[in-house]
Amino acid sequence: MIPNAMVADDLTPRLAALRERHRQGKADILNGIEALGGRSAGVRRWLRRLAALTDATLRALWKELSMPPALTLLAVGGYGRGELFPYSDIDVLVLLPDAAEDAQRAAVERFVGACWDIGLEIGSSARTVEECLREAARDITVQTALLEARWLAGPRRAAQQLQQRVLEAIDPLTFCRAKQFEMQQRHQRYENTPYALEPNCKESPGGLRDLHVILWVAKAAGLGHSWSELARRGLATAHEARQLRANEALLSLIRARLHALARRREDRLVFDLQAALAQAFGLEAAGPADLSREQSARRARRASERLMRRYYWAAKAVTQLNQILLLNIRERLEHDERSPTPLRPINARFAERDGMLEVISDELYWREPHAILETFLLYQQIPGIKGLSARTLRALYNARPVMNAAFRRDPVNRRTFMQILQQPQGITHAFRLMNQTSVLGRYLWPFRHTVGQMQHDLFHVYTVDQHILMVLRNIRRFFIPEHAHEYPFCSQLAAGWDKPWVLYLAALFHDIAKGRGGDHSELGARDVLTFARQHGIAREDAELIRFLVAEHLTMSHVAQRQDTSDPQVIEAFARRVGDERRLTGLYLLTVADIRGTSPKVWNGWKARLLEDLYRATLRVLGGGAPDPHAEVEARKREALAQLALHALPHQAHAALWARLDVGYFMRHSADEIAWHTRHLSRALAPHDTASAPPTVVRARLAPGGEGLQVLLYTADQPELFARICGYFDHAGFSILDAKIHTTADGYALDTFHVTTDALAEHYRELVTLVESELPRALDPDRPLPAPARARVSRRVRNFPVVPRVTLQPDERGQHWLLSLSASDRKGLLYGLARVFARHQVQLHLAKIATLGERVEDTFLLSGPSLHLPREQALLTQDLLQVLDEA
């Protein structure tokens, strides 16, 4: 018997040659894929060649190792389909005889080790046929992998036996239902939309896996193994089969290119790879080498946007075709088990079966194009209809050419569209279904340009079309009593609004001009006026919708970036709005819009800012110019009423309030004034006037329910704001808002709204931590801590915001308004505070607006140096340097 060491020594040169042959063959295939550019037609040929190369390598290795003749090697899973992506796992199954010997199992281990030695990253299992069947019965994933098993080496009879028994064990209808449920769970893990900004081209809705599910279910049911077979059996039309092949090829090319670019298995279209992938597709035009960073970033964004739009359109088509074919297969399987449910006629064109709306004829939409929009009107109007049947979905998919310019001009279609908008229920579901079936974009032509349009602004997490439909959904929920707990104030206002469809139209058009160049608000306003004229909307309603679309960004800008305690700011906004109806409509649209950008963007602080602006503007619209003196007195009375509940001594508030000016009372609510007074009255009690009041720090849960509100009272000092920001930065807090006030006797009375991820579970500990640690951080003898450095997120790195700084005097010339925007990062505000301290600039107000991963901050400043042009330039330069580090 030959020793193992001698066998290994004898094999080593041959295994090295096999490894090199496989490496070179794979390199040639990768070069072939690269040479395709953006042409997807030939990609599957290269993927089959890679599978064939791997087949040959595994067979050669099987032979070199003289594997026992009773063992059979099979390719399973994706590799079993005969296509292999560059860095995908190579899944193999070794079939063992029923009474496997230790020597046979040892041979399998040696084979697996040799596979890794020659560079094949395999996923392996070794089982008997009976073990395979038991595992398949317990796990639908194993059953699916075995369904695609393909013989590679060893006795073919064992492989044939396994394949036959796997098919015999499958109940096609049960398998179909299980795979559909599994698909729904997978979709939920991947954001439940094809339009994620970093989709997984394999697993996300509309990805390659959705195509695999169709073929798995069809194969299990004995209905075919390919798109051509499904077409021959009447489960797909010839046109659908062509679309399936074309979209499968595009998704396959994208996935193969992702693997090649990342040099590993990478199925996500991550921001880091989108620009490079677009260039590989030939979508980035050559340009001069001396472009600025901003120009280069803009060009890369344009190229990646074109790539992603191509991907989204393919994913959308796959989603539609997946739904059509799976419904078709499932209906056929269910009808094989039981007699079909009879159709219940609705009218001459439609019927209902099992809760699904079904066309009477496959050619209905070609004969009667008016029935296309009627489909969605009936979907809204008829109780019990929960979706569209496979026959209806297919008819809509194939009738897309009918929805042309003449279709859009047809008066009947225009009336039907307005009816859909004005229905009392089903608005959100109907419009989402219209978008999924491509009807919305073909009827509302400007909307078509938003489908798959990315938004590289670092706070929108949806494509433009999905964001628009999310805003529509949010507005719709204002009018549904069951959702009143989500938006109590919005629901209260919506209850008094007489024409919800006006707001629905404003939602549909507010971002409809995104990506077309120019001001999308103004372009959208023009589009909606054209729509109103074509659809016979009354002039008064049309003007209101135009105003809402044109001004949909104004209210959030004023609330988050201007000093709303200034009566002149409120008066100017009131003049711009004009009347209460416009104000209410704009408020509802603004809340819906912000909530529709990203789950992370909306918070209680923004809700309070917008509601306070709404109420302040409403008072101006109802009673003329605001009276600051009356407002201050009203807040004082309300604060005193709250203080009376805490049994403070008589006139306990007097010592503090005597030190405060009108600006303090205008910038703080009555609740905040009472809270401040309650905690500071003891520090300022008359018997303590001989000594300086101590530093006071108090924290509580913010009234809006999100974050902490922190009160700081201490002797004013240079670099105070920088020290406070430095503490919050190093303690892991983000500052949402800062109200800075200096009393008549030189004390800082500052209020901060801060938040942190740990707040929900540890707010009591965090309150204690802030109250004890912040005073120590204010020691003027201690040097300012160095700014914390943090890694920039992938989104910021690939889609940076060009930093911008503007510095302008206010109308009175007493203060300066500093506005800036940049990519967000940890420690950014602290860096800005250090610049303020270095230039001896006093801060009176800070509004910190974090929009996803972009910041838009506003500061109210004062200081002698701000009146000198040279000092202004130096301040701006230093601020830009800090922002540019992000």
Side-chain angles (χ1 to χ4, degrees):
M1 186 170 179
I2 303 174
N4 287 339
M6 292 179 61
V7 173
D9 289 343
D10 185 51
L11 279 175
T12 298
R14 297 204 298 275
L15 292 184
L18 190 60
R19 177 190 180 99
E20 179 58 24
R21 190 159 63 245
H22 183 84
R23 188 197 64 78
Q24 186 57 53
K26 184 174 179 179
D28 292 341
I29 290 169
L30 287 174
N31 289 335
I33 293 173
E34 184 177 352
L36 290 173
R39 302 185 308 276
S40 58
V43 67
R44 299 190 67 198
R45 174 169 55 89
W46 289 107
L47 299 180
R48 286 193 289 269
R49 282 187 61 177
L50 182 55
L53 171 68
T54 306
D55 290 353
T57 303
L58 286 171
R59 285 171 179 146
L61 184 60
W62 188 270
K63 183 177 180 181
E64 287 287 355
L65 294 176
S66 301
M67 295 296 288
L71 303 183
T72 303
L73 180 66
L74 291 89
V76 293
Y79 176 40
R81 283 193 297 275
E83 293 181 351
L84 191 61
F85 287 86
Y87 291 93
S88 288
D89 286 343
I90 300 165
D91 294 324
V92 297
L93 166 67
V94 178
L95 274 182
L96 303 172
D98 291 338
E101 301 172 356
D102 290 343
Q104 292 171 327
R105 294 185 184 275
V108 173
E109 291 179 9
R110 189 168 67 252
F111 173 74
V112 172
C115 286
W116 283 92
D117 289 342
I118 65 171
L120 297 181
E121 298 183 3
I122 69 167
S124 62
S125 58
R127 297 188 180 107
T128 66
V129 171
E130 294 301 325
E131 287 171 341
C132 288
L133 294 172
R134 283 198 299 271
E135 285 296 317
R138 287 196 294 263
D139 188 340
I140 189 71
T141 304
V142 174
Q143 192 175 51
T144 306
L146 293 176
L147 190 63
E148 296 188 301
R150 180 170 56 87
W151 174 86
L152 289 175
R156 284 181 181 267
R157 184 175 179 182
Q160 293 168 346
Q161 179 190 9
L162 175 66
Q163 290 167 334
Q164 181 180 350
R165 292 192 63 185
V166 166
L167 284 172
E168 289 173 352
I170 290 178
D171 178 344
L173 182 56
T174 301
F175 183 80
C176 177
R177 290 169 176 163
K179 295 309 290 185
Q180 283 187 292
F181 179 70
E182 184 183 66
M183 183 174 69
Q184 291 169 2
Q185 290 181 311
R186 172 170 51 83
H187 286 178
Q188 289 173 0
R189 290 197 303 273
Y190 290 90
E191 302 182 54
N192 222 15
T193 176
Y195 303 105
L197 296 189
E198 292 184 300
N200 186 305
C201 67
K202 178 185 175 185
E203 304 287 354
S204 288
L208 282 166
R209 184 63 81 211
D210 283 5
L211 295 173
H212 299 156
V213 171
I214 300 171
L215 292 175
W216 290 334
V217 170
K219 186 173 183 178
L223 298 173
H225 299 71
S226 67
W227 308 126
S228 300
E229 285 187 75
L230 293 183
R232 284 196 297 272
R233 290 177 175 268
L235 291 163
T237 66
H239 172 68
E240 289 165 357
R242 287 193 299 272
Q243 289 295 306
L244 286 161
R245 280 191 292 269
N247 288 305
E248 183 180 34
L250 175 60
L251 294 175
S252 296
L253 180 61
I254 288 173
R255 188 183 180 206
R257 277 292 176 78
L258 283 172
H259 283 208
L261 286 170
R263 293 194 165 279
R264 56 185 169 81
R265 187 178 65 181
E266 177 58 89
D267 299 330
R268 299 167 302 154
L269 281 148
V270 293
F271 294 127
D272 305 61
L273 296 177
Q274 286 178 11
L277 188 59
Q279 189 172 12
F281 269 62
L283 296 176
E284 186 172 4
D290 57 345
L291 291 175
S292 68
R293 189 178 71 170
E294 181 178 359
Q295 289 171 320
S296 298
R298 191 181 301 120
R299 172 170 290 163
R301 283 199 297 271
R302 283 200 298 267
S304 65
E305 284 171 0
R306 291 172 62 194
L307 168 76
M308 294 306 297
R309 192 160 194 183
R310 191 171 169 185
Y311 168 81
Y312 291 135
W313 280 88
K316 182 177 183 180
V318 168
T319 302
Q320 290 177 264
L321 292 167
N322 170 275
Q323 188 178 15
I324 291 169
L325 267 69
L326 285 182
L327 277 174
N328 227 1
I329 294 171
R330 184 162 173 170
E331 285 178 4
R332 181 171 294 193
L333 293 175
E334 288 175 343
H335 292 166
D336 287 345
E337 287 202 352
R338 56 177 174 80
S339 57
T341 304
L343 284 171
R344 182 174 66 85
I346 294 173
N347 56 29
R349 293 173 294 281
F350 294 95
E352 177 266 338
R353 191 203 312 262
D354 293 331
M356 310 298 275
L357 187 64
E358 184 155 322
V359 291
I360 294 296
S361 163
D362 293 335
E363 305 300 319
L364 171 66
Y365 297 134
W366 287 89
R367 293 197 316 269
E368 302 181 54
H370 295 157
I372 293 175
L373 290 180
E374 184 188 5
T375 304
F376 303 94
L377 185 60
L378 292 174
Y379 173 74
Q380 292 174 295
Q381 291 177 333
I382 298 178
I385 296 291
K386 58 178 184 270
L388 307 183
S389 71
R391 188 179 188 186
T392 304
L393 289 169
R394 167 168 288 149
L396 284 170
Y397 184 79
N398 293 320
R400 287 174 297 170
V402 173
M403 292 175 268
N404 52 23
F407 177 85
R408 291 186 285 276
R409 289 194 300 267
D410 192 301
V412 175
N413 290 333
R414 289 176 174 176
R415 284 196 299 273
T416 306
F417 188 82
M418 289 302 297
Q419 284 182 279
I420 293 170
L421 265 176
Q422 294 169 357
Q423 289 301 300
Q425 67 277 320
I427 300 294
T428 300
H429 294 300
F431 274 88
R432 281 182 173 167
L433 191 55
M434 289 169 73
N435 189 40
Q436 290 166 12
T437 54
S438 300
V439 173
L440 183 57
R442 287 180 177 268
Y443 178 78
L444 197 61
W445 198 249
F447 185 87
R448 180 176 172 80
H449 299 290
T450 72
V451 176
Q453 176 68 42
M454 292 186 73
Q455 304 185 78
H456 292 313
D457 50 19
L458 299 183
F459 65 97
H460 282 88
V461 298
Y462 308 108
T463 54
V464 180
D465 60 318
Q466 295 302 299
H467 165 67
I468 287 173
L469 293 178
M470 186 65 73
V471 175
L472 175 65
R473 162 206 179 259
N474 290 342
I475 287 181
R476 174 64 190 144
R477 288 165 85 102
F478 297 157
F479 292 90
I480 300 176
E482 290 80 2
H483 296 288
H485 64 284
E486 299 175 349
Y487 324 89
F489 187 55
C490 291
S491 296
Q492 177 185 336
L493 295 177
W497 189 274
D498 60 336
K499 294 179 180 177
W501 61 269
V502 167
L503 296 177
Y504 303 157
L505 270 179
L508 282 174
F509 279 87
H510 82 285
D511 273 356
I512 208 165
K514 280 277 186 78
R516 279 162 43 189
D519 186 335
H520 76 278
S521 300
E522 288 302 322
L523 293 173
R526 289 204 287 270
D527 285 345
V528 82
L529 279 182
T530 301
F531 176 93
R533 185 176 64 253
Q534 293 171 344
H535 291 75
I537 296 174
R539 179 178 298 180
E540 180 183 355
D541 293 329
E543 176 54 30
L544 175 57
I545 301 167
R546 186 211 63 78
F547 166 81
L548 294 175
V549 173
E551 302 289 342
H552 74 272
L553 299 175
T554 302
M555 193 168 192
S556 61
H557 175 88
V558 173
Q560 296 181 51
R561 303 186 64 182
Q562 296 188 32
D563 182 6
T564 52
S565 66
D566 185 344
Q568 292 188 357
V569 170
I570 303 299
E571 282 187 314
F573 178 65
R575 285 195 300 271
R576 188 162 184 170
V577 172
D579 59 51
E580 181 180 344
R581 183 168 174 78
R582 283 185 168 193
L583 173 65
T584 299
L586 189 58
Y587 173 76
L588 293 173
L589 178 60
T590 302
V591 173
D593 189 16
I594 296 176
R595 293 191 70 117
T597 56
S598 162
K600 298 179 181 179
V601 169
W602 180 259
N603 55 42
W605 173 70
K606 287 185 178 135
R608 184 173 179 181
L609 286 179
L610 287 170
E611 186 172 338
D612 288 348
L613 176 58
Y614 175 87
R615 294 184 185 278
T617 308
L618 188 62
R619 287 195 294 270
V620 173
L621 292 173
D627 182 352
H629 178 74
E631 178 66 26
V632 165
E633 292 304 313
R635 292 188 187 187
K636 286 182 177 180
R637 286 194 299 271
E638 187 178 345
L640 287 173
Q642 293 188 32
L643 287 169
L645 301 175
H646 294 276
L648 293 183
H650 180 63
Q651 293 295 309
H653 65 281
L656 174 62
W657 289 13
R659 292 168 165 81
L660 304 173
D661 59 17
V662 172
Y664 167 85
F665 290 100
M666 289 296 293
R667 287 197 181 117
H668 292 85
S669 67
D671 171 71
E672 291 171 338
I673 295 168
W675 182 54
H676 294 171
T677 305
R678 190 156 51 87
H679 288 291
L680 298 180
S681 59
R682 295 184 182 87
L684 299 173
H687 62 272
D688 288 334
T689 54
S691 59
T695 294
V696 176
V697 175
R698 293 291 181 270
R700 65 173 182 174
L701 280 178
E706 295 183 29
L708 293 179
Q709 199 170 45
V710 180
L711 161 66
L712 170 68
Y713 183 80
T714 190
D716 201 7
Q717 64 181 42
E719 302 180 341
L720 178 61
F721 184 68
R723 292 186 183 279
I724 297 167
C725 291
Y727 167 74
F728 284 129
D729 178 35
H730 283 264
F733 288 93
S734 297
I735 300 176
L736 298 179
D737 189 26
K739 295 176 182 176
I740 314 299
H741 193 80
T742 305
T743 66
D745 56 343
Y747 269 72
L749 199 171
D750 301 343
T751 309
F752 293 86
H753 188 166
V754 301
T755 187
T756 179
D757 292 338
L759 186 64
E761 297 179 358
H762 304 288
Y763 82 91
R764 295 181 188 277
E765 295 93 326
L766 291 172
V767 165
T768 303
L769 183 75
V770 170
E771 291 180 346
S772 62
E773 289 190 350
L774 181 53
R776 291 198 294 269
L778 305 182
D779 183 356
D781 296 329
R782 298 171 62 179
L784 285 173
R789 304 298 299 172
R791 294 182 62 185
V792 176
S793 73
R794 287 184 295 105
R795 290 188 69 182
V796 170
R797 188 168 61 249
N798 287 279
F799 307 114
V801 175
V802 178
R804 287 186 173 83
V805 173
T806 60
L807 183 64
Q808 296 177 328
D810 64 8
E811 293 183 359
R812 301 185 187 92
Q814 298 175 350
H815 297 90
W816 292 76
L817 193 66
L818 172 69
S819 300
L820 56 86
S821 63
S823 302
D824 192 20
R825 64 171 168 81
K826 181 177 173 57
L828 178 60
L829 184 59
Y830 178 45
L832 299 175
R834 287 166 63 94
V835 173
F836 296 153
R838 193 161 61 247
H839 287 267
Q840 298 181 348
V841 169
Q842 291 183 330
L843 181 66
H844 299 275
L845 180 70
K847 289 209 168 181
I848 318 301
T850 305
L851 308 174
E853 293 177 86
R854 188 182 87 194
V855 295
E856 292 189 355
D857 297 347
T858 305
F859 304 92
L860 195 63
L861 310 174
S862 68
S865 62
L866 292 176
H867 295 277
L868 304 175
R870 183 174 179 276
E871 290 296 323
Q872 291 179 21
L874 289 174
L875 173 65
T876 302
Q877 180 181 331
D878 288 352
L879 291 171
L880 283 171
Q881 185 175 350
V882 171
L883 297 177
D884 204 42
E885 292 175 0

